[in-house]
Amino acid sequence: MIVSAPAEITITLADTTATQISFPPRVVGSYHLRLIVSDGRDQSTDDVFVIITPVENKAPIANAGPDQQVFAGNLVTLDGSLSSDPDGSVALLFQWIVARTPGAAIELSEPSASQPTFIPTEPGEYVFGLVVSDGNSTSIQDVVTVVALAQ
């Protein structure tokens, strides 16, 4: 849902039930979106703030690396090192999130590093999101899936 946007425009999201939503920001300004997730019994919300800056600064591009297949119990390194900034910034800020695990929660070694690590504790799909910022703009989230196999 859209909480707020620049006053001079109206935004409509095409499919508010999709797992990834995008919209074409038409003016510079601050956009506040709220994600509401419900399983019919419990509900959780997360606020997202998008700041659109003038054309002089192009948003960086997050690259969460290729999907991986590993054995449960082995150390896995995620790789966001191919993320880039079209404006040539060399100091990207990284933010990884754990989007889905097959069971118990896991923690990344350094969620703000370009190459954090984790150990999948059980077989299944582990999904991670990566956004990068150049200090002025933030990328669209890129997603990587790690499939952990039983040994």
Side-chain angles (χ1 to χ4, degrees):
M1 91 163 38
I2 306 288
V3 176
S4 66
E8 60 270 14
I9 66 163
T10 301
I11 296 176
T12 304
L13 300 175
D15 180 2
T16 58
T17 63
T19 55
Q20 263 191 331
I21 296 174
S22 63
F23 68 93
R26 292 189 170 84
V27 299
V28 170
S30 180
Y31 298 78
H32 178 183
L33 304 138
R34 179 165 294 140
L35 171 65
I36 302 171
V37 179
S38 173
D39 65 3
R41 199 170 36 121
D42 295 317
Q43 180 173 302
S44 180
T45 63
D46 191 17
D47 286 12
V48 177
F49 297 88
V50 178
I51 300 171
I52 305 302
T53 57
V55 174
E56 296 84 39
N57 182 49
K58 295 179 183 161
I61 300 164
N63 183 335
D67 291 343
Q68 300 182 45
Q69 191 170 10
V70 300
F71 288 106
N74 289 347
L75 183 69
V76 176
T77 301
L78 301 177
D79 189 1
S81 66
L82 293 179
S83 299
S84 62
D85 186 357
D87 297 324
S89 173
V90 292
L92 290 175
L93 304 171
F94 293 81
Q95 186 58 54
W96 290 90
I97 61 156
V98 179
R100 185 176 72 222
T101 67
I106 57 123
E107 289 188 34
L108 292 172
S109 62
E110 294 179 64
S112 60
S114 66
Q115 295 180 315
T117 60
F118 80 102
I119 296 175
T121 55
E122 58 189 271
E125 281 191 355
Y126 295 77
V127 180
F128 303 90
L130 170 65
V131 294
V132 294
S133 171
D134 63 5
N136 294 310
S137 297
T138 301
S139 69
I140 295 173
Q141 181 175 307
D142 193 29
V143 176
V144 62
T145 300
V146 176
V147 176
L149 306 171
Q151 292 206 36

